[in-house]
Amino acid sequence: MKNNLPIAFLLIFLSCNFYAQNKEIVPYKPSKSEILERYRQASKLDEAVKNKVFKTRVNAHWQKDGNTFWYCNILKDSVREYILADASKGVKSKLFEELKLKKALSEITGKTLPQKSLVIDSLNYDAKANSIALKYDKSYFEVSLSDYSIKKITALAKDLKKYSGFNNQWARWESFRTDTISPNKKWLAFIKDNNVFVKPVSGGEAVQFTKDGTKEKPYGSLAWSPDSKYIVGYHITPIVDLPVHYVLTSVANTTRGQLRSNPYKQPGDPFTTYEMFLFHVENQKVSKVNTPVIDFFDAPELHWRNGDAGYFTYEKVDRGHQRFRIFEVNTQTAETRSIVDEKAKTFIYESRLFTHYLKKSNEVVMTSEKDGWRHLYLVDGLNGKENQITKGEWVVRSVDSIDENKREIWFSASGMNAGEDPYYIHNYRISFDGKKLIGLTQAKGNHNVAFSPNKQYYLDSYSEPNIPTIIELHRTLDGKKIMDIEKSDASDYLATGMSLPEPFHAKGRDGITDIWGIICRPANFDPNKKYPVIESIYAGPQDSFVPKNFMDRYTTEMQSLAQLGFIVVQIDGMGTANRSKAFHDVCWKNLKDAGFEDRILWIKALAKKYQYVDDSRVGLYGTSAGGQNALGGLLFHPEFYKAGVAACGCHDNRVDKQWWNEQWMGYPVDKHYEEQSNVTNASKLSGDLLLIVGEADENVPPESTYRVADALIKSGKTFEFLPVPGMGHSDGGPYGRLKKRDFFVKHLLGVDPPDRNSNELNQ
């Protein structure tokens, strides 16, 4: 008998373990009273978590010495503390003694200051004089910090020093005038009766350069060469965009609806065209430049060759976004040649196309995705020779600054750090030849860098969705950390019971690529019950959208919605930006795809990892392009998505704005536009749908949603429809968000939402 005891205990252990692993997890289906209580608790929690996280950012006020800055922390109960940091010494301290400053202010104003923390409207600090000048209670004062002597002043001094700053992009399209004075101030070029004239500024008769300009086809958009010898202008065929209309139904002080109209270019609509001409001032010669007509976007910015005004370059993006060129024009011959000629089988993302012209060296720094990733290139503007500056399976996100003298580029990128979310942004410096790459942000996380005006120091703020923000001061020369500045305090927030979002990744449709997202759970949820899933969706190809920062404002609604008894998620599927070109190309002429295959696999992987995730009850909601996606999920993947809320969706890409839709759906407007339209496919609806639209939407015409409603009605489909009087492009505002919550409670939890007409929540 003794010998059998170990075996018996082993059998008991194995049977218990088997039971634990195979215990049935029941779907979460609350009673009406329970859901009412959830609404009440969710409302209380929404209020309880406000202003519960501190020290999330530092707004540094750098001083003239270039080494010191001050900032203000707002703490619990609105208590403020003013901090002085000395970068050269690596120390920080209180900017002033608050009790002594209060006493000084009280004496000079003759007023008793309140006991609460001192709130200063604006403040200047003078490190050299060890004094502060401040505005308090509509008056201005100067205070010596050595003895807190105080005097009244008339105003705060303005800092007139202009800092170069770090620019993210340079414009490519000019705003030209119809009259302009030459750089040498001797000539005035102007348009009169639709034609080009030039006359001496000192007086004299004007010379008419053109005679064929008409009202229907005028000349215009004039620009001088730096040596004042040439004028570049255009023979223009103007196009007036047709209007879209909407009616305001509830305007005060009238019993009539008010018609509103605004010009709106839709896919396929024509553009104003520009034929480029050269006007030679000395011999009054007119030359038509041998270059294609500019029939997409406006007249381009001109870049004149340094040291030789006989040449200039300009950029041209072909309609359809599949070709980008930099042309060089010879002003003597009016002939052109291509310095850059880039073509793509899918699309060139024009809005992210960065170019910067180096004036001293006649070179161009530009971005390209020609090797499959967005990288920096250096192009010789004289011979077109091209050298790649950055390389690798990672993405240049932005260019902060270019130092032509040191031949260095300061930029941000994502995906370079192994074992980290590939969307996390880090900052770098690199030389023009692709060498001397220096990482300025080493710690894991999503980084935001703010440089001092003299660029000798920078504040590095970094965090993750579930890890509080850390703010450090670094030296720019080598990236060395000087000192810790602040760390976010979320203890009061977590004390409410609210959980933080959890990052999660799973393989996409190719079985190789990681798809990233976040999940939000209800506070104090029961892991022995299965909760429905709601996806907050926005699959617009112009960016990636899953929050990467701690306490990102975009997670607020997700976390609030989760409190009603849902697992709320957000995912970046294929077809969105900031990964490889191939990842992004999925969207090409294919907005219907919306990364759904990746999203569905991600949610299924989540349900496999966490048994409390119920992937048999999945809903989704979105606004604008997200509204298009939310309805698209129901139409094209009804086997997975059961309920959706679509707000102000661009449901038919032929109805929405030209610039956004042609970038992804291409030009000309072909059959694929119709085939992928939610309007065309409305008869496929099998799930539960709530449509929301603001009647005053000037972004996506309201008829986009109304056309879907019309198609659903004609197909005999059942759906809910919420038009919001007077509202523009939005998710429906507070009332729309309330209706969205009620909709998911009813259709995913199977419980009637609160009857607000009977004030049920307050009973």
Side-chain angles (χ1 to χ4, degrees):
M1 197 68 182
K2 284 184 179 181
N3 293 333
N4 292 329
L5 277 176
I7 297 175
F9 281 121
L10 178 62
L11 290 173
I12 293 172
F13 171 77
L14 290 173
S15 63
C16 290
N17 189 50
F18 176 83
Y19 173 78
Q21 289 183 356
N22 292 273
K23 181 181 178 182
E24 184 179 359
I25 307 295
V26 297
Y28 176 63
K29 293 185 177 180
S31 63
K32 180 62 179 287
S33 60
E34 185 178 350
I35 202 64
L36 290 176
E37 183 58 26
R38 276 200 172 273
Y39 270 93
R40 296 185 191 105
Q41 293 303 317
S43 179
K44 290 179 182 178
L45 196 55
D46 287 345
E47 190 63 32
V49 298
K50 290 181 179 179
N51 302 319
K52 288 293 191 295
V53 181
F54 312 106
K55 300 183 179 181
T56 58
R57 63 187 297 268
V58 165
N59 182 19
H61 300 265
W62 286 92
Q63 303 306 297
K64 293 179 181 179
D65 62 8
N67 293 317
T68 56
F69 65 91
W70 67 269
Y71 63 95
C72 175
N73 283 326
I74 301 178
L75 308 177
K76 187 176 181 179
D77 299 325
S78 298
V79 171
R80 297 180 182 230
E81 61 176 5
Y82 296 84
I83 307 296
L84 176 65
D86 188 327
S88 62
K89 298 178 181 178
V91 297
K92 62 177 188 172
S93 58
K94 289 184 178 180
L95 178 57
F96 53 78
E97 294 292 336
E98 184 168 340
L99 291 178
K100 292 182 179 179
L101 181 57
K102 275 187 175 183
K103 181 181 178 182
L105 286 170
S106 179
E107 290 175 352
I108 197 170
T109 60
K111 299 178 181 178
T112 301
L113 272 65
Q115 292 296 314
K116 63 182 182 179
S117 180
L118 188 63
V119 178
I120 298 172
D121 294 335
S122 52
L123 182 149
N124 289 344
Y125 170 69
D126 188 333
K128 188 175 182 179
N130 192 29
S131 67
I132 56 173
L134 59 91
K135 181 182 179 183
Y136 178 77
D137 193 25
K138 300 179 182 180
S139 297
Y140 300 92
F141 305 93
E142 185 177 289
V143 183
S144 169
L145 296 181
S146 58
D147 58 6
Y148 285 84
S149 58
I150 188 170
K151 64 180 179 180
K152 198 168 185 178
I153 56 177
T154 56
L156 299 184
K158 292 183 179 180
D159 184 4
L160 300 178
K161 183 178 180 181
K162 299 297 182 183
Y163 302 120
S164 60
F166 280 31
N167 298 313
N168 288 323
Q169 64 181 16
W170 282 259
R172 294 204 295 279
W173 316 112
E174 290 252 22
S175 296
F176 295 97
R177 296 178 58 183
T178 56
D179 63 297
T180 177
I181 296 177
S182 63
N184 65 9
K185 312 299 182 185
K186 292 182 178 181
W187 303 98
L188 173 67
F190 61 96
I191 301 296
K192 179 182 177 183
D193 298 329
N194 305 302
N195 284 288
V196 178
F197 291 78
V198 176
K199 70 177 182 180
V201 172
S202 60
E205 211 166 307
V207 176
Q208 185 171 356
F209 276 74
T210 66
K211 295 182 179 180
D212 58 338
T214 64
K215 182 179 179 181
E216 293 74 25
K217 194 170 181 178
Y219 284 88
S221 296
L222 305 179
W224 282 95
S225 64
D227 62 3
S228 303
K229 291 182 179 180
Y230 305 97
I231 304 164
V232 180
Y234 302 86
H235 204 180
I236 303 170
T237 303
I239 292 295
V240 177
D241 291 332
L242 295 174
V244 294
H245 312 282
Y246 59 90
V247 176
L248 297 180
T249 59
S250 303
V251 179
N253 304 316
T254 179
T255 57
R256 301 176 187 273
Q258 302 292 301
L259 177 66
R260 297 288 187 270
S261 304
N262 58 289
Y264 194 94
K265 193 184 294 293
Q266 293 178 326
D269 285 354
F271 273 78
T272 294
T273 62
Y274 300 82
E275 292 180 272
M276 184 180 287
F277 282 82
L278 277 165
F279 305 106
H280 304 246
V281 177
E282 290 181 353
N283 58 18
Q284 301 172 20
K285 179 183 176 182
V286 178
S287 303
K288 186 178 184 298
V289 178
N290 184 20
T291 193
V293 172
I294 296 166
D295 58 358
F296 191 47
F297 297 136
D298 297 323
E301 182 179 11
L302 310 180
H303 302 274
W304 294 86
R305 184 185 290 184
N306 182 42
D308 187 354
Y311 298 88
F312 67 87
T313 58
Y314 74 93
E315 300 177 9
K316 185 179 190 299
V317 178
D318 284 10
R319 191 164 189 180
H321 299 274
Q322 292 183 289
R323 190 178 190 184
F324 169 73
R325 284 172 283 182
I326 299 178
F327 286 104
E328 181 189 72
V329 178
N330 183 326
T331 58
Q332 290 291 321
T333 64
E335 293 296 323
T336 62
R337 67 185 179 106
S338 295
I339 301 297
V340 171
D341 189 351
E342 185 170 335
K343 300 175 184 177
K345 292 181 179 180
T346 54
F347 60 86
I348 294 172
Y349 189 1
E350 182 273 326
S351 295
R352 290 271 180 97
L353 185 60
F354 172 88
T355 55
H356 178 62
Y357 293 78
L358 303 170
K359 295 181 179 180
K360 295 179 181 179
S361 60
N362 293 311
E363 294 171 300
V364 184
V365 176
M366 63 176 291
T367 55
S368 173
E369 293 183 285
K370 64 179 65 181
D371 78 342
W373 302 82
R374 186 176 188 241
H375 281 299
L376 292 166
Y377 292 77
L378 183 66
V379 180
D380 189 317
L382 301 181
N383 57 32
K385 185 179 179 182
E386 189 177 275
N387 291 307
Q388 189 169 356
I389 300 172
T390 60
K391 297 178 182 179
E393 294 186 354
W394 46 273
V395 179
V396 171
R397 297 291 291 269
S398 68
V399 175
D400 299 304
S401 179
I402 295 177
D403 190 323
E404 188 171 358
N405 294 323
K406 293 182 179 179
R407 296 182 70 80
E408 292 178 337
I409 303 172
W410 308 65
F411 68 99
S412 67
S414 57
M416 200 184 300
N417 292 26
E420 189 174 299
D421 184 327
Y423 294 93
Y424 284 172
I425 294 175
H426 288 265
N427 292 75
Y428 304 89
R429 184 174 75 244
I430 195 170
S431 59
F432 281 10
D433 59 6
K435 300 177 181 178
K436 300 178 182 177
L437 176 66
I438 294 178
L440 301 176
T441 52
Q442 302 297 331
K444 180 184 177 184
N446 194 46
H447 292 255
N448 179 48
V449 164
F451 290 87
S452 64
N454 60 15
K455 302 180 187 176
Q456 292 182 8
Y457 308 101
Y458 61 91
L459 285 168
D460 177 19
S461 302
Y462 61 95
S463 67
E464 299 182 63
N466 55 346
I467 298 179
T469 306
I470 294 174
I471 306 171
E472 301 170 344
L473 180 66
H474 288 251
R475 187 171 63 192
T476 306
L477 179 65
D478 52 11
K480 181 180 178 181
K481 185 173 84 169
I482 297 172
M483 63 174 162
D484 295 317
I485 297 297
E486 297 293 351
K487 182 176 181 178
S488 293
D489 179 2
S491 54
D492 284 0
Y493 177 87
L494 296 174
T496 64
M498 183 73 85
S499 61
L500 295 172
E502 177 191 342
F504 181 77
H505 64 276
K507 297 301 180 185
R509 69 186 78 177
D510 60 3
I512 299 172
T513 306
D514 284 333
I515 304 298
W516 290 77
I518 58 170
I519 62 175
C520 297
R521 304 176 180 83
N524 304 315
F525 75 100
D526 185 349
N528 294 312
K529 294 182 179 179
K530 295 176 76 72
Y531 293 86
V533 180
I534 299 175
E535 180 183 354
S536 172
I537 188 169
Y538 191 99
Q542 74 270 20
D543 211 339
S544 54
F545 305 97
V546 174
K548 301 299 175 185
N549 295 323
F550 182 70
M551 296 304 294
D552 191 290
R553 63 187 179 91
Y554 292 107
T555 62
T556 302
E557 185 187 11
M558 293 173 61
Q559 291 177 295
S560 178
L561 180 59
Q563 307 318 312
L564 296 180
F566 302 107
I567 303 296
V568 185
V569 304
Q570 189 170 4
I571 309 157
D572 281 320
M574 290 187 184
T576 51
N578 301 323
R579 299 286 289 275
S580 70
K581 177 73 169 134
F583 189 102
H584 201 187
D585 278 348
V586 171
C587 75
W588 176 239
K589 295 186 177 182
N590 190 29
L591 289 183
K592 164 188 168 185
D593 180 278
F596 279 123
E597 290 185 56
D598 312 300
R599 298 169 187 277
I600 291 169
L601 287 170
W602 190 95
I603 293 173
K604 287 181 176 179
L606 184 69
K608 187 176 181 180
K609 180 177 181 180
Y610 297 119
Q611 293 187 60
Y612 52 78
V613 174
D614 188 351
D615 61 359
S616 69
R617 292 184 290 169
V618 182
L620 73 174
Y621 69 90
T623 301
S624 194
Q628 177 184 13
N629 306 143
L631 177 52
L634 299 181
L635 299 179
F636 307 124
H637 297 276
E639 78 289 347
F640 190 76
Y641 294 103
K642 307 304 181 185
V645 178
C648 63
C650 34
H651 296 291
D652 190 315
N653 298 108
R654 297 167 296 181
V655 177
D656 193 25
K657 49 200 161 290
Q658 175 278 330
W659 65 267
W660 193 88
N661 292 273
E662 284 188 17
Q663 170 70 75
W664 317 115
M665 293 291 279
Y667 176 83
V669 178
D670 213 335
K671 193 176 181 181
H672 64 284
Y673 274 81
E674 178 184 357
E675 292 172 343
Q676 297 185 43
S677 164
N678 286 349
V679 178
T680 305
N681 291 282
S683 61
K684 297 178 180 178
L685 180 67
S686 63
D688 298 303
L689 170 66
L690 167 60
L691 290 174
I692 300 175
V693 64
E695 69 175 10
D697 193 339
E698 294 184 354
N699 186 330
V700 178
E703 60 257 40
S704 183
T705 298
Y706 278 93
R707 286 172 184 264
V708 169
D710 180 55
L712 291 169
I713 290 168
K714 288 177 178 176
S715 299
K717 296 295 180 177
T718 300
F719 66 101
E720 296 181 36
F721 185 40
L722 175 62
V724 185
M727 180 157 285
H729 192 66
S730 86
D731 61 354
Y735 188 73
R737 289 188 286 275
L738 181 149
K739 294 297 291 182
K740 174 168 57 186
R741 290 177 174 227
D742 292 353
F743 179 85
F744 285 128
V745 164
K746 179 178 180 179
H747 293 289
L748 291 182
L749 291 177
V751 186
D752 287 334
D755 181 355
R756 293 180 175 79
N757 293 351
S758 64
N759 204 24
E760 191 173 25
L761 275 176
N762 296 323
Q763 292 178 3

